[in-house]
Amino acid sequence: MDAAELILNERGGLYHIGAKPGELAPTIITVGDPERVNLLKNYLDKVHFQIEQREFVTVTGEFDGQPLSIVSTGIGTDNIDIVFSEIDALFNIDLKSGTIKEKITPLRFIRLGTSGGLHPDIAVGDVVVSGYAVGLDALLHYYAHNTTVRIESLEAQVNQITRQTCYAVSGSSTLLNHFSSLGLKGITITCPGFYAPQGRNLRLQAAIPQYLGQLSEVQHEGLHVTNFEMETSGIYGMAALMGHHAISINGILANRERGEFAPDPQKVVESMIKNAMNELSGLLNY
């Protein structure tokens, strides 16, 4: 591939995230908010590498004696496309020759993010672990792939409600089982925006005002649509196509059915992170 496809910076790192091979661990925690990287960094025993570039903050160190990276992605699946493509390239492309390596290194991605709940019985402060993600964005439609990574029966239910072509992908069953004790398992809807795409009305009105409520009735393999956010479908879709493992863990800051928002959002985030890091210790040492 040529220099316009695989773009490097002046230090030989990837164009957006700035990291070079050897500067990331094969287990990566992703967060949307760059400030959340500093919160997670406090859990590391040692820090070996840190770089900040735009909204992408990357820290690599040791947690419980094992290598671990933390990367902020910013908001949206467009940023997930950038971060996952460049992290994968660090492990699976020879950056000097631009050739794909014969042996692909599988990675583990753990999203620790915030989300809104879609059921009255999902309380503010709860945690949802995403078994499946449905993307109302278009990211996966731009990548050549067969449909084996997608769940067509789930897509059909959502397409009928939203009047558009979505994609549905499952998370890693291994990671789902490992982190399932953190909260409720559910289906996560990934929206391509925060206002009208999530049914909010400010000065502009949403074209399908009640569709989130209708989506809460969708179910697949015993799981219901539980929550919505802006990254998980991209994470699950990119990981599935690349042969990586991914899980999304969501702290619920709002309940749209009840019109509630967490009085102390930081407390919800800190509790979710603490519990997830306790579970992560067992995973890294397995």
Side-chain angles (χ1 to χ4, degrees):
M1 58 191 75
D2 60 37
E5 287 191 289
L6 182 63
I7 306 172
L8 305 179
N9 62 19
E10 63 279 358
R11 67 185 292 269
L14 272 300
Y15 182 70
H16 294 93
I17 65 173
K20 298 191 298 186
E23 293 178 337
L24 262 76
T27 299
I28 303 112
I29 294 175
T30 70
V31 295
D33 184 357
E35 291 296 322
R36 207 170 296 152
V37 175
N38 291 324
L39 179 60
L40 279 155
K41 188 171 72 170
N42 292 330
Y43 284 86
L44 298 181
D45 307 316
K46 298 178 182 178
V47 174
H48 299 308
F49 170 78
Q50 180 167 347
I51 190 168
E52 299 183 20
Q53 194 158 297
R54 302 188 188 187
E55 62 266 56
F56 310 116
V57 178
T58 300
V59 172
T60 297
E62 293 180 24
F63 173 69
D64 203 15
Q66 300 296 321
L68 179 68
S69 291
I70 307 157
V71 179
S72 64
T73 64
I75 298 174
T77 57
D78 49 348
N79 277 9
I80 295 300
D81 176 60
I82 291 170
V83 172
F84 274 55
S85 295
E86 295 193 358
I87 290 177
D88 177 78
L90 290 178
F91 288 88
N92 295 312
I93 296 177
D94 185 318
L95 299 190
K96 293 182 178 180
S97 66
T99 57
I100 298 172
K101 296 178 180 178
E102 290 186 11
K103 184 178 180 181
I104 299 301
T105 300
L107 308 175
R108 293 186 293 199
F109 291 95
I110 300 155
R111 173 189 182 266
L112 299 179
T114 56
S115 184
L118 285 174
H119 276 278
D121 56 352
I122 297 177
V124 168
D126 282 352
V127 170
V128 171
V129 184
S130 305
Y132 304 94
V134 181
L136 304 185
D137 62 291
L139 177 59
L140 221 63
H141 302 321
Y142 287 92
Y143 283 95
H145 64 279
N146 58 43
T147 58
T148 57
V149 303
R150 293 169 55 179
I151 306 161
E152 294 180 344
S153 60
L154 179 53
E155 292 173 355
Q157 293 183 68
V158 175
N159 289 342
Q160 187 173 8
I161 295 170
T162 62
R163 308 172 197 167
Q164 60 180 298
T165 303
C166 70
Y167 62 93
V169 192
S170 65
S172 163
S173 59
T174 300
L175 294 181
L176 179 66
N177 290 335
H178 185 84
F179 289 102
S180 62
S181 64
L182 294 180
L184 175 71
K185 294 181 185 178
I187 301 171
T188 297
I189 300 292
T190 296
C191 302
F194 186 77
Y195 289 96
Q198 295 185 14
R200 290 185 173 90
N201 299 299
L202 297 185
R203 197 165 69 85
L204 298 178
Q205 300 298 298
I208 316 176
Q210 301 301 323
Y211 87 95
L212 284 181
Q214 296 174 49
L215 286 176
S216 67
E217 300 174 3
V218 171
Q219 57 182 302
H220 178 76
E221 296 291 333
L223 297 182
H224 290 265
V225 167
T226 48
N227 63 305
F228 61 98
E229 44 70 85
M230 296 179 64
E231 288 89 37
T232 298
S233 66
I235 290 172
Y236 283 11
M238 295 292 285
L241 294 183
M242 291 174 168
H244 302 316
H245 300 274
I247 196 68
S248 178
I249 300 166
N250 307 268
I252 303 299
L253 295 187
N255 184 292
R256 290 295 293 279
E257 290 293 309
R258 296 203 299 248
E260 296 175 353
F261 191 81
D264 189 348
Q266 188 65 15
K267 183 178 179 180
V268 175
V269 171
E270 290 177 358
S271 175
M272 172 191 64
I273 287 175
K274 179 181 178 181
N275 292 332
M277 294 304 286
N278 287 337
E279 293 297 323
L280 180 61
S281 177
L283 180 70
L284 293 176
N285 287 286
Y286 178 71

